Amino acid sequence: QLQLQESGPGLVKPSETLSLICSVSGGSISSSSYYWGWIRQPPGKGLEWIGDIYYTGRFNYNPSLQSRVTISVDTSRNRFSLKLISVTAADTALYHCASHNSTVVTPGDNWGQGSMVTVSS
Amino acid sequence: QSALTQAASVSGSPGQSITISCIGTSSDIGRYNYVSWFQRHPGKAPKLIIYDVTNRPSGVSHRFSASKSGNTASLTISGLQADDEADYFCSSYTSSISYVFGTGTKVTVL
């Protein structure tokens, strides 16, 4: 069973870059069996899919965020990351990393508990 | 892409059945058979309970069932139990090559 754990700064200043890492255990980030993705939930609001990536590097991003987001895979450390540039208070959210089997079309069949990120000066 | 619409809350007594609806559009639920349902207990990671409209992952109780008609998907919980008290939200693949989530429904077991 895959286990995912988010990590990163809990506070980011406006206009700076939000960076989060998702460490994967119980499976290989290089496996052809999984997609790796990020989902967020602002306080008091619904979930928003950010994007996902396959081990080959092929990615899909939410059109509303694609100009600011990068998801990448670090095979040497068995983890993947999220970078979101030019953040504003609207990017304050609980950020989940997730994986899903490559044969299943779903945002995630395995989720991390989430990492809260606040954008504030 | 607007969020899928769910009732804010649904409640039922132990043993009863409840149904949660998820209303989308012809660009998401109406177009693809890629509706998922998730359960989230407070402080816990969301858990996938339904994928591809009707399929249950291994280990998920048969008390959870789901369907779709037109632009609306539905999740039914039969034989309601105390542990079913949680937030439930739907999601769908969309024509924008992305996913959209529902607004979420809080289920209360009376």
Side-chain angles (χ1 to χ4, degrees), chain A residues 39 41 46-49 52 60-63 94 96 100 103-113, chain B residues 34-36 38 40 43-48 50-52 89 91 93 96-103:
Chain A
I39 297 148
Q41 184 171 27
L47 289 158
E48 181 178 34
W49 183 76
D52 63 18
N60 293 293
Y61 297 147
N62 186 321
L94 180 66
H96 293 278
H100 69 88
T103 63
V104 179
V105 182
T106 183
D109 55 24
N110 195 10
W111 296 49
Q113 283 201 300
Chain B
Y34 296 134
V35 177
S36 298
F38 301 88
R40 183 176 59 190
K44 297 289 185 65
K47 175 185 177 182
L48 178 69
I50 296 287
Y51 67 94
D52 291 355
F89 44 95
S91 78
Y93 190 70
S96 302
I97 320 298
S98 63
Y99 296 94
V100 63
F101 285 94
T103 49

Side-chain angles (χ1 to χ4, degrees), chain B residues 6-8 14 24 29-30 40 44 54 64 69 72 77 81 86 100-102:
Chain B
Q6 298 179 237
I29 293 177
R40 183 176 59 190
K44 297 289 185 65
T54 61
F64 294 97
S69 177
T72 300
I77 308 174
Q81 298 178 357
V100 63
F101 285 94

Side-chain angles (χ1 to χ4, degrees), chain B residues 33-93:
Chain B
N33 288 322
Y34 296 134
V35 177
S36 298
W37 288 90
F38 301 88
Q39 176 194 60
R40 183 176 59 190
H41 287 106
K44 297 289 185 65
K47 175 185 177 182
L48 178 69
I49 57 174
I50 296 287
Y51 67 94
D52 291 355
V53 180
T54 61
N55 294 334
R56 278 185 306 273
S58 175
V60 173
S61 172
H62 285 71
R63 297 185 299 104
F64 294 97
S65 62
S67 62
K68 185 189 90 166
S69 177
N71 297 339
T72 300
S74 300
L75 173 72
T76 297
I77 308 174
S78 305
L80 201 61
Q81 298 178 357
D83 189 54
D84 298 331
E85 187 161 293
D87 292 327
Y88 293 82
F89 44 95
C90 56
S91 78
S92 175
Y93 190 70

Side-chain angles (χ1 to χ4, degrees), chain B residues 13-35:
Chain B
S13 299
Q16 286 187 330
S17 295
I18 60 170
T19 296
I20 303 167
S21 294
C22 172
I23 303 171
T25 70
S26 57
S27 295
D28 38 65
I29 293 177
R31 183 165 183 172
Y32 301 100
N33 288 322
Y34 296 134
V35 177

